[in-house]
Every structure is written in C-alpha cells, then in structure tokens.
Amino acid sequence: DQQVKQNSPSLSVQEGRISILNCDYTNSMFDYFLWYKKYPAEGPTFLISISSIKDKNEDGRFTVFLNKSAKHLSLHIVPSQPGDSAVYFCAASKGPNTGTASKLTFGTGTRLQVTL
Amino acid sequence: ETGVTQSPTHLIKTRGQQVTLRCSSQSGHNTVSWYQQALGQGPQFIFQYYREEENGRGNFPPRFSGLQFPNYSSELNVNALELDDSALYLCASSPGTGGETQYFGPGTRLLVL
C-alpha cells in the first residue's frame, strides 16, 4: 500500500522556467511533509518542509504548497536552474507528540531534468 | 558542524553472510533512523533509535537489528543476507523523536551475490 505517491517519474523543464513536482498521500494521520533532493551516489538532501497547520512555505526559489482536503502537496522551483537536475522525493510523517517514531514515508521520486 | 557520515561506502557480500553498517549522527542529534532504498524506489523505514533504545520499527524481519551507542552513533546489522537485501542503506539523524526534519548520510551500497 503506497501511502505517498509521486505519479510522475520524470519531468523536463527549461532553465528559467517553473518546475512543479506533485505528491499525493492517502494517510490522513500525516501532518508533516518534506521534500528531499537526491543526486546519484549521495544521500537525500533536505530541501523544505511544511506542517499541516500551514498551506504554504517558502524558502528562496523553493515553495511547497499543501492542500489537506485533497491530500496533495506540490513543490515549485522558480526559476529552475541546471543544478536542480536531480531526483526529488516527497516524504510524510506523523508529527510531534504522537508517541510513535517519526518515521518518514517516502514516495518513489520524480527525476527532474532542467535543460539549457 | 559535521554532518551524518556512514561507512563503508560500498560493500559486496554473499548470500547467507552477515554485515554491519555504521553511522555517525550529526552533532547534537540523539535520534538515528535507518532506511533501505531499493533501485527505483523511495527509502523504506527500517527502524529508529532514540537514546540507545529502539523507538519504532518498519516492516523488516528480525534479522535486521541495530544498536545505538552513548555518543549517538549507530550500527545496522543484517544476518543471513538474501539477494533482495541488495540496496542503498541510508542513515538519518534528527534532534529528537516526533516529526522533525531528518538529515541523511551518503549511504552504504550493499550488493549481495
């Protein structure tokens, strides 16, 4: 049962344009969401997160939007740069003070290619 | 500030053998989580250690075990290796339990022949 889904395995965007990566989840207990970027032969690098009490969080060129009613989040990268080419993973967890381990449940990733 | 480190970077074992992977958490972090990432998949949670105690386990058999030491470094042990254990093993540290951001090491790539 895939609780976090990234339905687009790949995305190609021109340099300078907006990249939009999407993620859907099914478990309504998730209340903390993260995006990680992964280059080959490296571990995932944390990009940005959002708590379920917010619907938007911004950090420089990266913005994450959360639509709880639709159980959907998206990562916007503006403007896209060639160095953004990587695999992007969406992850979710049950937030603080739930009494359980804060394990992350990951999607299968979207490979972003930013072309010149 | 030192990030999460893992050793070794690569490892080749044969079926039935045992392996130990090591992780040093980021300074100030007392929680370590281990994940397995198979090719083409997202990382899957194996277990988490908080202050030297196991604090949650994913859907992995008991032959996957771990330890956390007083300095918060950690080991992942896998007994009776199977071909399907071939994967990237990732260690992540965080300040404490409960949904905080987890910071990953570079991983150990294990190949079981």
Side-chain angles (χ1 to χ4, degrees):
Chain A
D1 175 31
Q2 191 72 23
Q3 297 186 60
V4 178
K5 299 177 187 178
Q6 293 177 256
N7 292 318
S8 298
S10 64
L11 175 67
S12 183
V13 171
Q14 219 168 13
E15 182 183 11
R17 300 284 183 111
I18 183 171
S19 295
I20 300 176
L21 296 98
N22 294 303
C23 178
D24 297 293
Y25 62 96
T26 57
N27 190 336
S28 57
M29 295 296 291
F30 289 145
D31 61 3
Y32 188 67
F33 304 90
L34 310 91
W35 284 94
Y36 286 85
K37 176 171 75 172
K38 188 177 185 301
Y39 294 117
E42 294 184 13
T45 301
F46 169 71
L47 272 178
I48 192 169
S49 63
I50 188 166
S51 163
S52 60
I53 61 174
K54 296 185 175 182
D55 55 18
K56 177 182 173 181
N57 189 26
E58 224 172 323
D59 184 1
R61 297 186 298 115
F62 302 93
T63 303
V64 56
F65 295 91
L66 175 63
N67 181 334
K68 280 199 308 181
S69 60
K71 294 191 177 69
H72 176 84
L73 63 155
S74 61
L75 174 68
H76 292 210
I77 307 173
V78 185
S80 301
Q81 299 173 353
D84 295 330
S85 297
V87 177
Y88 289 76
F89 289 98
C90 167
S93 75
K94 301 171 190 178
N97 303 318
T98 61
T100 60
S102 55
K103 72 172 188 177
L104 295 178
T105 301
F106 283 84
T108 52
T110 297
R111 182 176 301 278
L112 173 66
Q113 181 159 14
V114 180
T115 58
L116 298 173
Chain B
E1 185 179 274
T2 307
V4 179
T5 60
Q6 292 185 244
S7 62
T9 54
H10 295 83
L11 204 50
I12 300 175
K13 291 284 189 178
T14 55
R15 196 170 48 182
Q17 285 190 310
Q18 178 266 343
V19 69
T20 297
L21 310 181
R22 294 179 174 83
C23 170
S24 290
S25 59
Q26 189 166 320
S27 176
H29 288 185
N30 57 20
T31 301
V32 172
S33 303
W34 285 91
Y35 293 82
Q36 180 197 66
Q37 185 179 13
L39 207 59
Q41 300 297 315
Q44 299 287 317
F45 176 74
I46 302 174
F47 44 56
Q48 182 182 85
Y49 279 83
Y50 171 64
R51 294 186 175 179
E52 303 177 59
E53 298 284 332
E54 187 178 290
N55 184 47
R57 188 177 185 93
N59 190 25
F60 281 81
R63 59 189 185 83
F64 285 78
S65 63
L67 280 174
Q68 188 180 30
F69 300 100
N71 66 355
Y72 303 131
S73 65
S74 177
E75 284 182 358
L76 164 66
N77 299 291
V78 187
N79 293 323
L81 283 166
E82 300 177 0
L83 298 180
D84 284 349
D85 296 334
S86 296
L88 180 67
Y89 288 85
L90 294 161
C91 166
S93 74
S94 55
T97 58
E100 306 93 343
T101 301
Q102 296 182 23
Y103 297 89
F104 285 82
T108 294
R109 184 157 299 280
L110 172 65
L111 178 61
V112 182
L113 300 175

